[in-house]
């Protein structure tokens, strides 16, 4: 059997649909029919029973599938290993993430990456908000998904993977919790939890925890946060409010907390970032796969709804 015959046969045996088989194999539906007919003539027996509504393997078709599929999958795995080794896509890849939904995204991409590159080992870990780029610079992670903006000369910013409406996390007892939306100007009437750390760039702090509203009104500053989990406890205790991604409501909803969307704030965007001097074939392969994964699920604004 030729490679294309094997691929079309196994794909059709899985899909039981000529159109989907043609799409996956990258050929026309007529080519699928021709290849199957040629294969059946060579073997001398029908491999599929088909009519206008259904496609099903015959008993001999099932037997052929059981016999060749394990060997074919093994060949694919060995070719993938050899290809990965040739491209340098082997060894450990450590990937960081900043929050629950970015972690979910990375874990899904990591599963696909491991299957595609069997010679790699992935380690996934959370990066704390108080030192967003420290693990990259220390070599503890090779790349990570983190919040924009990033203006660090030693870092390369890759594709945006997640783009979400910004919301204000507040106690459910807060007077603004009953509003359908809030404005950036409303922050002047609240206490804003902030990030105070020598490891966090000033432009990042100003973007996520500003000290004044767009019209220049001062915003009261509350307690500094070190870990994301601290935010939930401090907001529940009435110590302040915090701008967050609206996607957080799916992961952190609990009695006493309310997520109110902003009507005039730009979205929160999360992108891949890595140390420019340590870019490797593994990093480039993971970045490319992440981009493909997000695009296949409708883009950065839709990906959270599919993970």
């Amino acid at each position: 059997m030729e490679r294309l015959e094997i691929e079309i046969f196994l794909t059709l045996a899985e899909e039981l649909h000529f159109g989907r088989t043609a799409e996956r194999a990258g050929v026309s539906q007529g080519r699928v029919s021709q290849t199957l007919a040629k294969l059946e003539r060579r073997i001398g027996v029908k491999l599929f029973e088909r009519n206008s509504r259904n496609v099903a393997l015959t008993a001999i078709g099932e037997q052929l599938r059981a016999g060749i599929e394990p060997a074919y999958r093994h060949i694919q795995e060995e070719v993938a290993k050899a290809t990965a080794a040739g491209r340098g896509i082997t060894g450990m890849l450590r990937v960081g993430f900043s929050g629950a939904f970015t972690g979910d995204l990375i874990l899904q991409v990591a599963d696909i990456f491991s299957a595609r590159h069997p010679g790699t080992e992935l380690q996934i870990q959370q990066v704390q908000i108080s030192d967003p780029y420290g693990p990259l610079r220390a070599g503890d992670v090779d790349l990570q998904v983190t919040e924009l903006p990033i203006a660090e000369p030693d870092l390369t910013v890759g594709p945006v993977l997640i783009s979400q409406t910004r919301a204000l996390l507040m106690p459910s007892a807060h007077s603004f919790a009953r509003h359908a939306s809030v404005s950036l100007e409303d922050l002047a009437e609240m206490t804003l939890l902030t990030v105070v750390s020598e490891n966090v760039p000033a432009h990042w702090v100003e973007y996520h925890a500003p000290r004044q509203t767009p019209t220049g009104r001062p915003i009261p500053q509350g307690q500094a946060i070190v870990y994301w989990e601290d935010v939930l406890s401090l907001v529940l205790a009435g110590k302040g409010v915090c701008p967050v991604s609206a996607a957080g409501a799916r992961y952190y909803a609990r009695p006493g907390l309310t997520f109110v969307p902003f009507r005039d704030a730009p979205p929160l965007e999360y992108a891949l970032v890595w140390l420019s001097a340590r870019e490797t074939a593994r990093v480039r392969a993971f970045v490319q796969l992440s981009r493909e994964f997000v695009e296949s699920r409708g883009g950065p604004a839709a990906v959270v709804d599919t993970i």
Side-chain angles (χ1 to χ4, degrees):
M1 291 176 68
E2 298 177 0
R3 179 185 60 82
L4 183 60
E5 291 176 330
I6 295 173
E7 290 179 354
I8 287 178
F9 170 73
L10 290 177
T11 303
L12 184 58
E14 179 182 341
E15 294 287 353
L16 298 178
H17 189 281
F18 279 75
R20 290 194 295 269
T21 297
E23 184 176 348
R24 282 183 54 183
V27 299
S28 68
Q29 190 167 327
R31 182 69 180 278
V32 173
S33 298
Q34 291 168 6
T35 301
L36 179 60
K38 178 182 176 183
L39 184 59
E40 289 179 330
R41 284 196 303 271
R42 182 185 307 159
I43 294 175
V45 68
K46 276 193 172 184
L47 301 175
F48 292 88
E49 293 290 351
R50 48 204 185 271
N51 55 42
S52 59
R53 293 187 177 184
N54 296 303
V55 178
L57 279 163
T58 63
I60 294 179
E62 287 279 9
Q63 177 182 323
L64 180 61
R65 178 187 187 182
I68 68 174
E69 187 170 35
Y72 179 68
R73 301 307 178 203
H74 179 70
I75 291 172
Q76 285 186 309
E77 290 172 4
E78 293 304 317
V79 170
K81 287 179 184 178
T83 302
R87 294 176 179 173
I89 309 175
T90 57
M92 174 71 73
L93 184 67
R94 295 156 297 186
V95 187
F97 65 92
S98 62
F101 50 91
T102 57
D104 277 358
L105 171 61
I106 288 302
L107 286 168
Q108 290 209 26
V109 174
D111 285 344
I112 300 171
F113 189 85
S114 295
R116 187 174 293 184
H117 304 291
T120 59
E121 179 181 352
L122 275 85
Q123 178 178 304
I124 313 299
Q125 66 185 66
Q126 187 168 13
V127 175
Q128 298 303 333
I129 195 171
S130 59
D131 191 13
Y133 314 128
L136 276 175
R137 289 171 173 146
D140 295 330
V141 297
D142 300 302
L143 73 165
Q144 66 187 55
V145 179
T146 195
E147 297 88 345
L148 298 180
I150 299 173
E152 303 295 301
D154 60 333
L155 302 181
T156 296
V157 180
V160 172
L161 302 184
I162 296 174
S163 179
Q164 287 286 300
T165 300
R166 200 182 304 201
L168 192 60
L169 176 60
M170 63 181 69
S172 298
H174 197 286
S175 59
F176 279 86
R178 295 185 295 275
H179 291 202
S181 64
V182 293
S183 167
L184 290 171
E185 288 297 323
D186 293 331
L187 293 176
E189 302 176 42
M190 309 179 192
T191 298
L192 188 66
L193 299 177
T194 189
V195 179
V196 179
S197 169
E198 62 181 12
N199 297 316
V200 182
H203 74 273
W204 192 97
V205 175
E206 181 58 30
Y207 186 85
H208 292 280
R211 293 187 173 273
Q212 61 182 29
T213 69
T215 63
R217 298 165 66 196
I219 299 173
Q221 300 293 299
Q223 183 173 330
I225 52 178
V226 177
Y227 304 103
W228 164 246
E229 289 72 16
D230 295 342
V231 174
L232 305 177
S233 299
L234 290 169
V235 172
L236 276 171
K239 300 299 183 181
V241 300
C242 185
V244 297
S245 167
R250 289 179 51 189
Y251 291 83
Y252 303 110
R254 62 188 64 183
L257 291 179
T258 297
F259 293 77
V260 181
F262 279 98
R263 58 179 176 271
D264 57 355
L268 281 179
E269 295 184 326
Y270 300 78
L272 281 168
V273 58
W274 58 94
L275 201 67
S276 303
R278 294 182 189 151
E279 181 177 312
T280 64
R282 289 190 300 275
V283 168
R284 290 192 293 272
F286 194 90
V287 170
Q288 178 60 31
L289 178 58
S290 299
R291 180 187 286 111
E292 293 171 1
F293 181 88
V294 168
E295 290 175 353
S296 72
R297 281 156 176 75
V303 68
V304 171
D305 295 329
T306 65
I307 59 177

